[in-house]
Amino acid sequence: MDSLDLQVLTQARQWHADGHPVRLVTVIETWGSAPRPPGALLAMRGDGLVVGSVSGGCVEDDLIERVRAGESMNKPSLVTYGVTKEEAARFGLPCGGNLRLVQEPLNDVAWIDEVLARTARHELVARRLDLATGTVTVEAATRGEAFSFDGQVMRALFGPRWRMLIIGAGQLSRVLAQMALALDFEIICCDPREEYHLTWDVPGTTFSTTMPDDLVQELQLDPHSAVVAVTHDPKLDDLALLEALKSPAFYVGALGSRGNTAKRKERLALFDLSAEEIGRLHGPIGLDLGGRTPAEIAVSILAEIVAVRHGVALSQKKPLSHDAPSCQASS
């Protein structure tokens, strides 16, 4: 579940506290080119005010119209949009896409309190809704799970399904951490250097002064983990990379020029790493977006990480024959 959906729950809770009727709408199934994935969440106030999204806008307009027309709702119900080509065109679902939703009245916010409290502790939780009774429970979840609906029970995930370890606490790391939080990553920044860790001030992240290679082992990186090394200090970066490249982490990258990356790979080859493991290193890190500032470099790094996460070919990587300097290849 996108971490931004936590903002939807926060707003829904506030509306409920203010005495407004509130309903939640969740995407449970899509066909064709429906614009929002299963699990996408929207909250609607009784006067039609909305937060969140389940489509590109036309479906939201219809849902708002229903609320303002006085449509009542006492228990969860299913609604489908775009069954015919005419409906798909009307609701802005491209290429005949179809969208199936669950609507439910928000009668109790205790489960929202629990979800927000547990995700604030970096826990991954599942919200379980029984459509027949409207009963909601919150239970622990694991990173390998996904949104599910079996026709009777909906199970939606909240919290960080992905984890990013950032080695180094400089300016780039701060911007990278802030952006990655919005992409559903739990952020751990590691830097044992006192002059750096004393000034780390990114809310919602965890900071560690443990040596990076020790922390990589402690975290037991899994296929939902990414490691980004940006200190420019081989004593910190290389030792962490040595451990990370042997792990199941889906992404391991390091800041540096093509020349420095080649030297780094030569150093790594002196240890017990195979050529295949060394080949997993993304360096120079990031896609070639032509940026120079810390924010632009962070965007290029995150663009590459998102592409790798979704199995998309890295067509924007800087070719090896290109000798012009770039932000992702700085040293």
Side-chain angles (χ1 to χ4, degrees), residues 233-308:
D233 184 345
K235 295 189 300 295
L236 298 177
D237 285 349
D238 286 8
L239 290 175
L241 294 172
L242 179 64
E243 298 299 329
L245 290 170
K246 292 186 288 186
S247 78
F250 79 92
Y251 180 92
V252 180
L255 194 68
S257 66
R258 290 188 300 281
N260 285 341
T261 297
K263 293 177 182 177
R264 174 179 285 117
K265 289 184 176 181
E266 290 175 359
R267 293 193 300 269
L268 292 173
L270 299 175
F271 297 89
D272 60 338
L273 288 177
S274 67
E276 181 180 4
E277 289 170 332
I278 295 174
R280 294 183 59 224
L281 178 66
H282 291 271
I285 198 171
L287 301 185
D288 181 16
L289 304 181
R292 294 291 187 274
T293 67
E296 291 173 333
I297 298 171
V299 168
S300 74
I301 294 172
L302 285 172
E304 180 172 66
I305 290 174
V306 170
V308 172

Side-chain angles (χ1 to χ4, degrees), residues 1-133:
M1 175 64 66
D2 192 328
S3 59
L4 295 178
D5 286 327
L6 294 176
Q7 298 178 18
V8 174
L9 293 184
T10 300
Q11 184 62 73
R13 180 179 63 173
Q14 186 59 55
W15 285 340
H16 185 273
D18 292 340
H20 294 283
V22 181
R23 70 176 61 179
L24 299 178
V25 183
T26 307
V27 177
I28 58 170
E29 197 170 9
T30 64
W31 298 269
S33 302
R36 294 286 281 148
L41 182 65
L42 174 145
M44 286 195 302
R45 206 167 71 176
D47 58 2
L49 195 61
V50 302
V51 60
S53 174
V54 293
S55 79
C58 293
V59 167
E60 283 84 349
D61 291 344
D62 185 70
L63 292 169
I64 292 169
E65 184 178 337
R66 292 183 181 205
V67 170
R68 289 178 174 170
E71 179 186 70
S72 62
M73 177 177 297
N74 299 317
K75 62 179 183 179
S77 63
L78 297 174
V79 59
T80 301
Y81 288 94
V83 173
T84 67
K85 290 184 178 180
E86 291 75 16
E87 287 178 321
R90 176 189 172 195
F91 295 114
L93 299 173
C95 303
N98 299 313
L99 192 62
R100 197 177 183 203
L101 310 172
V102 164
Q103 296 187 97
E104 58 181 300
L106 182 61
N107 298 321
D108 177 33
V109 297
W111 67 266
I112 295 182
D113 293 336
E114 183 176 356
V115 166
L116 294 178
R118 293 177 67 171
T119 55
R121 298 193 296 267
H122 306 289
E123 293 182 38
L124 178 64
V125 298
R127 177 208 173 205
R128 186 180 185 277
L129 169 67
D130 187 318
L131 266 65
T133 64

Side-chain angles (χ1 to χ4, degrees), residues 1-3 160-164 180-186 223-226 250-251 282 301-314:
M1 175 64 66
D2 192 328
S3 59
R161 285 188 293 159
W162 303 88
R163 177 172 53 175
M164 181 182 297
L181 284 171
L183 292 174
D184 206 20
F185 280 93
E186 174 188 359
H224 286 72
S225 301
F250 79 92
Y251 180 92
H282 291 271
I301 294 172
L302 285 172
E304 180 172 66
I305 290 174
V306 170
V308 172
R309 186 167 79 175
H310 292 292
V312 175
L314 303 179

Side-chain angles (χ1 to χ4, degrees), residues 165-169 173 188-193 197 200 206-216 219 228 231 236 240:
L165 172 61
I166 303 174
I167 310 299
S173 299
I188 304 114
C189 184
C190 176
D191 200 324
R193 300 171 298 181
H197 73 71
W200 182 261
T206 301
F207 196 90
S208 174
T209 58
T210 302
M211 286 299 293
D213 54 325
D214 292 333
L215 183 58
V216 169
L219 290 176
V228 179
T231 71
L236 298 177

